[in-house]
Amino acid sequence: MRQQLQVLLNDPDTWLVVGRPSGMALALCKAQNGHRVLYDVMDDMAQFSHGISQRWMEHAHQCLLIQAEAVWGSSERIVQSLQGLTRAPATLVRNGTILPSEAVFERNLGMGTAAHAQAPLVLGYVGTLAAWFDWQALRHLANALPQAQFHIYGPLEGAMPQALPPNVQLRGAVPHSQVFTLMSRWHAGLIPFLHNQLTESVDPVKYYEYRACGLPVLSTMFGEMPHHATDDEGVWPLETTELEGLEKRLRHWHGKLAERHAQGLPLAPANLQSATWSARFESGARDCGWLAAAFQASMVSDA
């Protein structure tokens, strides 16, 4: 595999794009002397490991930063942490999403319909349930909305949480191909994450997925979420949102979505049009001083 990738990298139009530190990424980057290597720093990866693994991950991260010709960071916190460590200044390229097709909503008669606006409330989450998940915030919200259902999808890492309210259902992992179909039946997307060293660098992809469906997002204000809350009326901070009137607010939101859908308007907000993956890559290429056409060339990804 490494030899095949090296052959590809001999093509002057090919870039090596590294999504996370690995032994293969280091070897290929070194062989290229960092030339035509883009290191896309999407998280504080060392925080996902412990002990020797964490120290190796941090070492590999530092090596890639020093060698790579270009470095992107997915959050302001990450970009700030890279100052003075890269060959050229790191570029802020936040995460993004694909936009769901209208067929997702039409097929399910969910989001964007008057019937959905009045249906029993469903608030959902999809993603890994690990040490960064704020179970207490979820409990508080579920207890405040006993008439609503909370559908929590994703693999559970660690012990089963104790004393969850009866309206919280842990439904396990689902294929990503089903994510938009699930979301089209919800009334809000949830991102209840703790504030810690890992999450303070995170720009969650699920924010973009939720908003691409038109969902309001109930989230703690970790990482890039304060930025999104400032720019997007669809982000409702869990720390400050009044829960007493939340159902009424959700009904009003979905009533407005039904009006937009009836007028043939998109459910996703306008800012999502510039948050597609292709738009993100093109923006990053411009900010690095490259022609956008550079990213239409062949790329090798080590993610």
Side-chain angles (χ1 to χ4, degrees):
M1 171 63 76
R2 187 175 300 181
Q3 289 180 339
Q4 291 174 317
L5 291 175
Q6 192 62 62
V7 169
L8 288 173
L9 288 169
N10 290 333
D11 186 327
D13 289 329
T14 300
W15 278 71
L16 171 68
V17 181
V18 179
R20 68 182 64 186
S22 70
M24 182 178 289
L26 286 175
L28 291 170
C29 183
K30 184 176 181 180
Q32 294 291 113
N33 292 317
H35 183 53
R36 288 185 280 110
V37 175
L38 166 64
Y39 181 24
D40 186 5
V41 186
M42 297 179 286
D43 286 296
D44 187 350
M45 294 303 301
Q47 296 304 314
F48 289 92
S49 304
H50 302 280
I52 294 175
S53 294
Q54 185 177 62
R55 291 193 292 274
W56 185 91
M57 189 67 73
E58 183 59 35
H59 168 74
H61 170 67
Q62 295 295 332
C63 291
L64 288 166
L65 289 178
I66 293 169
Q67 295 182 40
E69 182 173 337
V71 176
W72 290 356
S74 65
S75 71
E76 290 183 357
R77 176 89 180 185
I78 287 176
V79 171
Q80 290 170 2
S81 73
L82 304 181
Q83 291 183 6
L85 302 177
T86 57
R87 289 170 57 174
T91 297
L92 174 62
V93 182
R94 289 190 173 91
N95 284 323
T97 185
I98 60 173
L99 297 178
S101 68
E102 286 297 313
V104 170
F105 307 109
E106 294 171 359
R107 182 171 61 248
N108 290 283
L109 297 178
M111 193 81 65
T113 67
H116 180 262
Q118 296 303 318
L121 290 179
V122 177
L123 288 76
Y125 169 90
V126 60
T128 302
L129 301 163
W132 55 82
F133 193 87
D134 191 340
W135 292 103
Q136 187 56 37
L138 176 63
R139 289 187 184 95
H140 182 63
L141 185 59
N143 285 326
L145 291 174
Q147 73 280 20
Q149 292 295 314
F150 290 76
H151 295 175
I152 311 299
Y153 293 89
L156 177 63
E157 296 185 1
M160 178 72 70
Q162 299 298 312
L164 289 176
N167 54 339
V168 174
Q169 301 175 21
L170 302 185
R171 297 193 163 195
V174 293
H176 194 268
S177 60
Q178 297 179 16
V179 164
F180 284 132
T181 299
L182 291 173
M183 292 177 184
S184 70
R185 303 166 188 162
W186 298 350
H187 295 85
L190 304 173
I191 318 180
F193 283 3
L194 297 167
H195 294 258
N196 58 32
Q197 188 172 347
L198 189 156
T199 60
E200 67 186 5
S201 299
V202 171
D203 183 31
V205 172
K206 57 179 59 61
Y207 155 73
Y208 298 96
E209 293 175 335
Y210 293 161
R211 294 298 287 123
C213 292
L215 287 167
V217 179
L218 285 158
S219 175
T220 49
M221 291 294 99
F222 67 91
E224 290 293 283
M225 292 312 298
H227 162 78
H228 296 308
T230 299
D231 291 353
D232 184 352
E233 65 178 359
V235 177
W236 303 349
L238 279 171
E239 292 89 342
T240 57
T241 294
E242 291 289 339
L243 299 183
E244 185 175 342
L246 184 55
E247 177 170 2
K248 182 178 180 180
R249 190 178 179 186
L250 287 169
R251 298 294 183 196
H252 178 76
W253 180 275
H254 285 280
K256 291 296 184 181
L257 275 189
E259 292 176 6
R260 289 182 59 82
H261 190 62
Q263 296 169 19
L265 298 173
L267 300 182
N271 68 306
L272 262 291
Q273 301 302 319
S274 60
T276 61
W277 290 120
S278 58
R280 290 300 202 218
F281 286 136
E282 187 170 329
S283 174
R286 287 199 307 269
D287 288 345
C288 287
W290 306 331
L291 295 175
F295 266 74
Q296 297 172 4
S298 174
M299 301 176 73
V300 178
S301 178
D302 178 67

